[in-house]
Amino acid sequence: METANAVQKPIKLLYFAWLRSRIGLAEEEVVLPAEVRDVASLIAWMKGRGPAYAKALENEAVVKVAVNQEFARADHPLRPGDEIALFPPVTGG
Amino acid sequence: METANAVQKPIKLLYFAWLRSRIGLAEEEVVLPAEVRDVASLIAWMKGRGPAYAKALENEAVVKVAVNQEFARADHPLRPGDEIALFPPVTGG
Amino acid sequence: MTVRVQREDFDVGAELEGLTRGNTGIGGVASFLGLVRDMAGGEPIRSMTLEHYPGMTERQLAAIEAEARQRWPLDACLIIHRYGRLEPGDRIVFVATASAHRAAALEACEFLIDWLKTRAPFWKFEETPQGGRWVEAREEDDVAAARWGTRDGEPDGLDP
Amino acid sequence: MTVRVQREDFDVGAELEGLTRGNTGIGGVASFLGLVRDMAGGEPIRSMTLEHYPGMTERQLAAIEAEARQRWPLDACLIIHRYGRLEPGDRIVFVATASAHRAAALEACEFLIDWLKTRAPFWKFEETPQGGRWVEAREEDDVAAARWGTRDGEPDGLDP
């Protein structure tokens, strides 16, 4: 099935500002498990990936998410190949 | 008397914009007659000085007056040695 | 705090550089550059000649600049206004206001340029293909300046 | 209509000159230049490092610029935003808006800089004598930007 194949394709995760420094990475590619279908389930899954992730994401209210360079809400669906960025509220220029 | 002597001292009249071109002068010095005591009587007196003055000053509402470089109202007193400027409403920069 | 009324052109970049040099407490500089437009009232303009009242113009500009400094916390302020014959595209007027905070700089700049464009003691003579004419004072400009509640008609006021 | 996100400094005079060159229909150019302040929250600042999201930042800046052009009749518009490590006095951001009429230029400039200073996708890291820290988003800035009624929280909005 197309969906099953597509899930094997990784997504790209980008981290900015203190999310980057807490996670300790600027970006990574991951293959999402089948149960991760949207932004909310991505965050929930990431918290289980280790203490650095759990700490960085502990206050979800201040974690903003963009999918393919557009701001995305909790119910925004995710697809293989997406570029997903996590960052704190912007502080402007 | 000091007043009588002082009246002999001329005032300086300056004209700007279309008041200048209608009167045909940028500036002049005149000795005011004794009855000219304020801005209103100055304008009335000037209208009698010739057709160019009468024409330039026919619409008093658009003639602004400054005495010693400050905007002055009709009842502003005049003194010998004053610098009195007549000009249309400013059009800004 | 500087006011200059001059025939010569000016260098905007150099002026802005000079305005903030050595003061790292400044967070922003708002500015407005006025240019001669090629049209006025639907007619093409060949030139615009600005006449002013030397001495009084500088006094009035200094007074409005002092008022801006009273109303807003400005670190630096600059007004340059040209006079004489100008052509379309030429710079006429430049206002720059510097402050720790952008709102103060922006508001003060708008206040000053509204005043300058409407109440500064200049008279404009426009040369069109049909001949020359003195520009009449404009109602709409007065509305823009009146927003700021500057004094009107007072003998010692900033406006006739 | 130009948006540039760059590490390099820029020349304000040359940018303004280029913005209006050849268009004598422009009556005025409003601009705002943002500089790094030497203090933040009562503490001295040694440097400020701006991080951004390459690609998304340009898209967001282009979107807000398009919105400004929809709201006001602009002849030209320029946004330059730097990233990387900056020191007090350094230029960070420059906005310039040109229009036949000054009100349009002034309002569009204020609209853009309010947005840029609060909602542009940049994150600031400040280096103080006590060490480094990420700057928190500020409430008062949101109030300034909210005045303009830009969309909030929409998935396709200009703001998270």
Side-chain angles (χ1 to χ4, degrees), chain B residues 24-42:
Chain B
L25 277 177
E27 60 179 88
E28 60 181 323
E29 296 208 336
V30 296
V31 174
L32 294 179
E35 73 269 21
V36 174
R37 303 266 167 157
D38 58 19
V39 166
S41 53
L42 173 71

PDB file of all heavy atoms in Angstrom, chain B residues 24-42:
ATOM      1  N   GLY B  24       5.491  93.544  -5.417  1.00  0.00           N
ATOM      2  CA  GLY B  24       6.631  93.872  -6.283  1.00  0.00           C
ATOM      3  C   GLY B  24       7.886  94.217  -5.518  1.00  0.00           C
ATOM      4  O   GLY B  24       8.833  94.764  -6.048  1.00  0.00           O
ATOM      5  N   LEU B  25       7.899  93.855  -4.262  1.00  0.00           N
ATOM      6  CA  LEU B  25       9.042  94.135  -3.385  1.00  0.00           C
ATOM      7  C   LEU B  25       9.236  92.958  -2.435  1.00  0.00           C
ATOM      8  O   LEU B  25       8.254  92.358  -2.009  1.00  0.00           O
ATOM      9  CB  LEU B  25       8.736  95.329  -2.485  1.00  0.00           C
ATOM     10  CG  LEU B  25       8.917  96.756  -2.958  1.00  0.00           C
ATOM     11  CD1 LEU B  25       8.455  97.698  -1.849  1.00  0.00           C
ATOM     12  CD2 LEU B  25      10.384  97.007  -3.310  1.00  0.00           C
ATOM     13  N   ALA B  26      10.483  92.670  -2.081  1.00  0.00           N
ATOM     14  CA  ALA B  26      10.726  91.652  -1.063  1.00  0.00           C
ATOM     15  C   ALA B  26      10.750  92.277   0.321  1.00  0.00           C
ATOM     16  O   ALA B  26      10.324  91.679   1.294  1.00  0.00           O
ATOM     17  CB  ALA B  26      12.045  90.924  -1.328  1.00  0.00           C
ATOM     18  N   GLU B  27      11.242  93.514   0.393  1.00  0.00           N
ATOM     19  CA  GLU B  27      11.246  94.185   1.691  1.00  0.00           C
ATOM     20  C   GLU B  27      11.382  95.681   1.503  1.00  0.00           C
ATOM     21  O   GLU B  27      11.821  96.173   0.456  1.00  0.00           O
ATOM     22  CB  GLU B  27      12.358  93.646   2.590  1.00  0.00           C
ATOM     23  CG  GLU B  27      13.765  93.791   2.058  1.00  0.00           C
ATOM     24  CD  GLU B  27      14.778  93.249   3.057  1.00  0.00           C
ATOM     25  OE1 GLU B  27      15.057  92.040   2.989  1.00  0.00           O
ATOM     26  OE2 GLU B  27      15.275  94.029   3.890  1.00  0.00           O
ATOM     27  N   GLU B  28      10.989  96.407   2.534  1.00  0.00           N
ATOM     28  CA  GLU B  28      11.131  97.872   2.522  1.00  0.00           C
ATOM     29  C   GLU B  28      11.135  98.367   3.963  1.00  0.00           C
ATOM     30  O   GLU B  28      10.724  97.657   4.878  1.00  0.00           O
ATOM     31  CB  GLU B  28       9.993  98.520   1.726  1.00  0.00           C
ATOM     32  CG  GLU B  28       8.613  98.244   2.269  1.00  0.00           C
ATOM     33  CD  GLU B  28       7.497  98.880   1.424  1.00  0.00           C
ATOM     34  OE1 GLU B  28       7.697  99.996   0.927  1.00  0.00           O
ATOM     35  OE2 GLU B  28       6.423  98.245   1.294  1.00  0.00           O
ATOM     36  N   GLU B  29      11.619  99.593   4.118  1.00  0.00           N
ATOM     37  CA  GLU B  29      11.559 100.215   5.446  1.00  0.00           C
ATOM     38  C   GLU B  29      10.614 101.395   5.355  1.00  0.00           C
ATOM     39  O   GLU B  29      10.664 102.158   4.380  1.00  0.00           O
ATOM     40  CB  GLU B  29      12.948 100.671   5.878  1.00  0.00           C
ATOM     41  CG  GLU B  29      13.901  99.495   6.031  1.00  0.00           C
ATOM     42  CD  GLU B  29      14.994  99.743   7.051  1.00  0.00           C
ATOM     43  OE1 GLU B  29      15.309 100.919   7.307  1.00  0.00           O
ATOM     44  OE2 GLU B  29      15.511  98.752   7.588  1.00  0.00           O
ATOM     45  N   VAL B  30       9.729 101.504   6.301  1.00  0.00           N
ATOM     46  CA  VAL B  30       8.791 102.634   6.298  1.00  0.00           C
ATOM     47  C   VAL B  30       8.689 103.207   7.705  1.00  0.00           C
ATOM     48  O   VAL B  30       8.853 102.487   8.699  1.00  0.00           O
ATOM     49  CB  VAL B  30       7.360 102.241   5.826  1.00  0.00           C
ATOM     50  CG1 VAL B  30       7.374 101.782   4.377  1.00  0.00           C
ATOM     51  CG2 VAL B  30       6.757 101.182   6.727  1.00  0.00           C
ATOM     52  N   VAL B  31       8.432 104.516   7.762  1.00  0.00           N
ATOM     53  CA  VAL B  31       8.141 105.150   9.050  1.00  0.00           C
ATOM     54  C   VAL B  31       6.622 105.177   9.163  1.00  0.00           C
ATOM     55  O   VAL B  31       5.935 105.691   8.282  1.00  0.00           O
ATOM     56  CB  VAL B  31       8.733 106.568   9.124  1.00  0.00           C
ATOM     57  CG1 VAL B  31       8.282 107.261  10.410  1.00  0.00           C
ATOM     58  CG2 VAL B  31      10.253 106.493   9.061  1.00  0.00           C
ATOM     59  N   LEU B  32       6.122 104.585  10.217  1.00  0.00           N
ATOM     60  CA  LEU B  32       4.669 104.475  10.365  1.00  0.00           C
ATOM     61  C   LEU B  32       4.082 105.785  10.850  1.00  0.00           C
ATOM     62  O   LEU B  32       4.653 106.435  11.736  1.00  0.00           O
ATOM     63  CB  LEU B  32       4.330 103.368  11.368  1.00  0.00           C
ATOM     64  CG  LEU B  32       4.691 101.943  10.942  1.00  0.00           C
ATOM     65  CD1 LEU B  32       4.318 100.971  12.054  1.00  0.00           C
ATOM     66  CD2 LEU B  32       3.976 101.566   9.644  1.00  0.00           C
ATOM     67  N   PRO B  33       2.927 106.181  10.307  1.00  0.00           N
ATOM     68  CA  PRO B  33       2.238 107.336  10.885  1.00  0.00           C
ATOM     69  C   PRO B  33       1.746 106.993  12.293  1.00  0.00           C
ATOM     70  O   PRO B  33       1.623 105.824  12.648  1.00  0.00           O
ATOM     71  CB  PRO B  33       1.065 107.563   9.924  1.00  0.00           C
ATOM     72  CG  PRO B  33       0.880 106.285   9.174  1.00  0.00           C
ATOM     73  CD  PRO B  33       2.204 105.594   9.173  1.00  0.00           C
ATOM     74  N   ALA B  34       1.476 108.043  13.050  1.00  0.00           N
ATOM     75  CA  ALA B  34       1.164 107.849  14.479  1.00  0.00           C
ATOM     76  C   ALA B  34      -0.067 106.970  14.697  1.00  0.00           C
ATOM     77  O   ALA B  34      -0.158 106.261  15.703  1.00  0.00           O
ATOM     78  CB  ALA B  34       0.962 109.205  15.144  1.00  0.00           C
ATOM     79  N   GLU B  35      -1.009 106.992  13.740  1.00  0.00           N
ATOM     80  CA  GLU B  35      -2.251 106.233  13.978  1.00  0.00           C
ATOM     81  C   GLU B  35      -2.069 104.730  13.790  1.00  0.00           C
ATOM     82  O   GLU B  35      -2.948 103.940  14.136  1.00  0.00           O
ATOM     83  CB  GLU B  35      -3.399 106.758  13.088  1.00  0.00           C
ATOM     84  CG  GLU B  35      -3.288 106.393  11.614  1.00  0.00           C
ATOM     85  CD  GLU B  35      -2.535 107.443  10.798  1.00  0.00           C
ATOM     86  OE1 GLU B  35      -1.765 108.230  11.395  1.00  0.00           O
ATOM     87  OE2 GLU B  35      -2.702 107.467   9.569  1.00  0.00           O
ATOM     88  N   VAL B  36      -0.942 104.319  13.244  1.00  0.00           N
ATOM     89  CA  VAL B  36      -0.714 102.875  13.071  1.00  0.00           C
ATOM     90  C   VAL B  36      -0.061 102.322  14.339  1.00  0.00           C
ATOM     91  O   VAL B  36       1.117 102.545  14.601  1.00  0.00           O
ATOM     92  CB  VAL B  36       0.154 102.586  11.831  1.00  0.00           C
ATOM     93  CG1 VAL B  36       0.489 101.105  11.755  1.00  0.00           C
ATOM     94  CG2 VAL B  36      -0.564 103.027  10.560  1.00  0.00           C
ATOM     95  N   ARG B  37      -0.895 101.632  15.111  1.00  0.00           N
ATOM     96  CA  ARG B  37      -0.452 101.166  16.428  1.00  0.00           C
ATOM     97  C   ARG B  37      -0.403  99.646  16.537  1.00  0.00           C
ATOM     98  O   ARG B  37       0.193  99.121  17.468  1.00  0.00           O
ATOM     99  CB  ARG B  37      -1.439 101.658  17.505  1.00  0.00           C
ATOM    100  CG  ARG B  37      -1.622 103.154  17.555  1.00  0.00           C
ATOM    101  CD  ARG B  37      -0.682 103.705  18.568  1.00  0.00           C
ATOM    102  NE  ARG B  37      -0.581 105.148  18.462  1.00  0.00           N
ATOM    103  CZ  ARG B  37      -0.188 105.923  19.469  1.00  0.00           C
ATOM    104  NH1 ARG B  37       0.076 105.397  20.651  1.00  0.00           N
ATOM    105  NH2 ARG B  37      -0.069 107.219  19.297  1.00  0.00           N
ATOM    106  N   ASP B  38      -1.105  98.985  15.629  1.00  0.00           N
ATOM    107  CA  ASP B  38      -1.150  97.521  15.731  1.00  0.00           C
ATOM    108  C   ASP B  38      -1.257  96.924  14.332  1.00  0.00           C
ATOM    109  O   ASP B  38      -1.285  97.641  13.325  1.00  0.00           O
ATOM    110  CB  ASP B  38      -2.319  97.066  16.612  1.00  0.00           C
ATOM    111  CG  ASP B  38      -3.670  97.561  16.111  1.00  0.00           C
ATOM    112  OD1 ASP B  38      -3.777  97.937  14.927  1.00  0.00           O
ATOM    113  OD2 ASP B  38      -4.618  97.564  16.913  1.00  0.00           O
ATOM    114  N   VAL B  39      -1.322  95.611  14.259  1.00  0.00           N
ATOM    115  CA  VAL B  39      -1.329  94.894  12.984  1.00  0.00           C
ATOM    116  C   VAL B  39      -2.537  95.305  12.138  1.00  0.00           C
ATOM    117  O   VAL B  39      -2.403  95.569  10.945  1.00  0.00           O
ATOM    118  CB  VAL B  39      -1.315  93.372  13.234  1.00  0.00           C
ATOM    119  CG1 VAL B  39      -1.673  92.602  11.963  1.00  0.00           C
ATOM    120  CG2 VAL B  39       0.055  92.940  13.751  1.00  0.00           C
ATOM    121  N   ALA B  40      -3.712  95.410  12.757  1.00  0.00           N
ATOM    122  CA  ALA B  40      -4.924  95.741  12.001  1.00  0.00           C
ATOM    123  C   ALA B  40      -4.809  97.117  11.349  1.00  0.00           C
ATOM    124  O   ALA B  40      -5.120  97.291  10.162  1.00  0.00           O
ATOM    125  CB  ALA B  40      -6.142  95.688  12.921  1.00  0.00           C
ATOM    126  N   SER B  41      -4.322  98.084  12.107  1.00  0.00           N
ATOM    127  CA  SER B  41      -4.224  99.445  11.529  1.00  0.00           C
ATOM    128  C   SER B  41      -3.092  99.512  10.495  1.00  0.00           C
ATOM    129  O   SER B  41      -3.151 100.316   9.560  1.00  0.00           O
ATOM    130  CB  SER B  41      -4.069 100.508  12.629  1.00  0.00           C
ATOM    131  OG  SER B  41      -2.998 100.199  13.484  1.00  0.00           O
ATOM    132  N   LEU B  42      -2.089  98.675  10.636  1.00  0.00           N
ATOM    133  CA  LEU B  42      -1.021  98.605   9.621  1.00  0.00           C
ATOM    134  C   LEU B  42      -1.588  98.147   8.277  1.00  0.00           C
ATOM    135  O   LEU B  42      -1.324  98.766   7.239  1.00  0.00           O
ATOM    136  CB  LEU B  42       0.083  97.651  10.067  1.00  0.00           C
ATOM    137  CG  LEU B  42       1.163  97.363   9.004  1.00  0.00           C
ATOM    138  CD1 LEU B  42       2.046  98.582   8.783  1.00  0.00           C
ATOM    139  CD2 LEU B  42       1.992  96.148   9.374  1.00  0.00           C
TER     140      LEU B  42
END
